[in-house]
Amino acid sequence: MRIDRRTMMGATAGLATLASAPRALAQEAARDTAWPPAESFRLWPKQPPNAPRRLPTPDNRMEGNAPRRELHLRGVAEPVVGVYRAARPDGRAVLSMPGGGYRFLSVENEGINVAKVFNPLGVTVFVLAYRLPGEGWLESEDVPLQDAQRAMRLIRADAVRYGVDPAKLGTVGFSAGGLLAASLATASMDPVYDRVDAADAGDARPAFAGLVYPVITGDRMRVGARAAARFDTNRRVRRDTPPIFIAHALDDTTVPVSEPMAMLTTCQAAQVPVEAHFFQEGGHGFGPAYLPPELPGSHWPQLFDAWTRRVLTAG
């Protein structure tokens, strides 16, 4: 086979395009921070369950310094799901749970940017703006899981309209949102709210759960002694827990590596399919667009994408 100069130039250009892809995705993700997006839906037809007399005041603002100046949500009085459709959907979908320590929602870094990266891979992304326990809700430890369960059921009830396969609907959660994703994976049947309509007869169990720099135990989120054991999600893993994917950096000083390691260990003991990636560098808060491409942790979206294809085929 003859390789001429033009062939070599074309190959070099192709490699350059692949190398620059993460940066291009990051730049594209930063352009559109509208919340809620053009397509979205409310979770509850009336007031959400556990509502106090006075609902929190919505507070959406840009915070941080460039290049990490991001949209954060507080005062979530009316939880909504933002819908981001893939141009060429393959049936897969994820409910994305932003983190923020249950004090705010990092909806751009861990929601909007998730859609920007996964939509081109054929995945429809639903971003959940869930209620925060510390904003006055009654029995506040239940409200994030109420919203997550309800969102899963509503998406499945309308799966045809969204062009997704109900059997291929999973979740991905980040930091505190990782605790919520793990809670959904292990406590999808917990009766945390009264049935509202026919959709609530549906299944809230995700087909798979991605946990990215996740909190795993309830005591780290100060949900209260009564509920802490219930939200030690690693202790609730059973054989029928859906497959679990973990991505975490060893130099994370916010969530210690012992948290995801506890989930890995219990999944192995319960014979639950689990894949874990522990990166030497990355810190905390590396959504799908912020790590430099030379760091291996920047490739977790591609690893997660390949893993979901495998587990859905195996299932």
Side-chain angles (χ1 to χ4, degrees), residues 33-37 40 56-64 69-80 84 98 103-108 112 127-132 135:
T33 59
W35 186 266
S40 62
T57 301
D59 179 9
N60 302 351
R61 67 175 78 171
M62 301 295 292
E63 294 184 317
R69 188 164 176 78
E70 306 159 6
L71 179 64
H72 291 167
L73 309 183
R74 293 180 176 83
V76 181
E78 185 177 281
V80 300
Y84 298 86
R103 301 187 309 275
F104 65 90
L105 297 179
S106 182
V107 72
E108 180 179 353
I112 296 170
V127 178
L128 176 61
Y130 56 88
R131 291 169 291 155
L132 300 168
E135 295 187 334

Side-chain angles (χ1 to χ4, degrees), residues 34-51:
W35 186 266
E39 185 177 6
S40 62
F41 61 87
R42 297 172 54 197
L43 290 182
W44 309 100
K46 298 179 181 178
Q47 274 196 345
N50 298 34

Side-chain angles (χ1 to χ4, degrees), residues 43-49 150 154 193-201:
L43 290 182
W44 309 100
K46 298 179 181 178
Q47 274 196 345
R150 175 75 172 164
L154 288 176
Y193 69 90
D194 293 332
R195 178 171 170 169
V196 174
D197 51 35
D200 286 325

Side-chain angles (χ1 to χ4, degrees), residues 286-298:
F286 55 92
Y290 282 121
L291 279 185
E294 62 268 20
L295 289 182
S298 67

Side-chain angles (χ1 to χ4, degrees), residues 84-277:
Y84 298 86
R85 297 175 182 259
R88 296 180 179 177
D90 62 13
R92 290 178 299 158
V94 294
L95 178 64
S96 185
M97 321 274 212
Y102 278 177
R103 301 187 309 275
F104 65 90
L105 297 179
S106 182
V107 72
E108 180 179 353
N109 179 30
E110 296 158 352
I112 296 170
N113 288 0
V114 174
K116 292 286 185 180
V117 171
F118 284 95
N119 281 170
L121 301 176
V123 182
T124 298
V125 177
F126 299 87
V127 178
L128 176 61
Y130 56 88
R131 291 169 291 155
L132 300 168
E135 295 187 334
W137 302 95
L138 307 178
E139 297 183 9
S140 59
E141 66 274 6
D142 285 334
V143 297
L145 186 56
Q146 288 172 346
D147 292 345
Q149 287 185 0
R150 175 75 172 164
M152 291 292 288
R153 289 167 176 146
L154 288 176
I155 293 167
R156 282 202 168 105
D158 248 347
V160 172
R161 182 162 68 90
Y162 295 125
V164 304
D165 183 341
K168 296 181 178 181
L169 172 61
T171 185
V172 59
F174 304 82
S175 193
L179 176 63
L180 182 53
S183 297
L184 190 60
T186 58
S188 63
M189 294 301 294
D190 280 16
V192 291
Y193 69 90
D194 293 332
R195 178 171 170 169
V196 174
D197 51 35
D200 286 325
D203 190 1
R205 179 185 181 274
F208 55 84
L211 312 180
V212 186
Y213 41 90
V215 175
I216 294 299
T217 57
D219 61 335
R220 292 192 61 81
M221 299 311 302
R222 298 180 177 87
V223 296
R226 182 179 70 83
R230 211 177 106 217
F231 290 97
D232 284 350
T233 55
N234 59 305
R235 297 186 181 185
R236 299 199 61 185
V237 171
R238 300 291 183 268
R239 183 66 187 89
D240 61 351
T241 297
I244 300 292
F245 174 95
I246 296 168
H248 199 89
L250 297 178
D251 63 350
D252 188 332
T253 58
T254 301
V255 177
V257 70
S258 58
E259 291 278 302
M261 282 295 294
M263 178 60 78
L264 171 62
T265 300
T266 53
C267 283
Q268 288 183 306
Q271 298 184 330
V272 171
V274 58
E275 177 163 311
H277 297 270

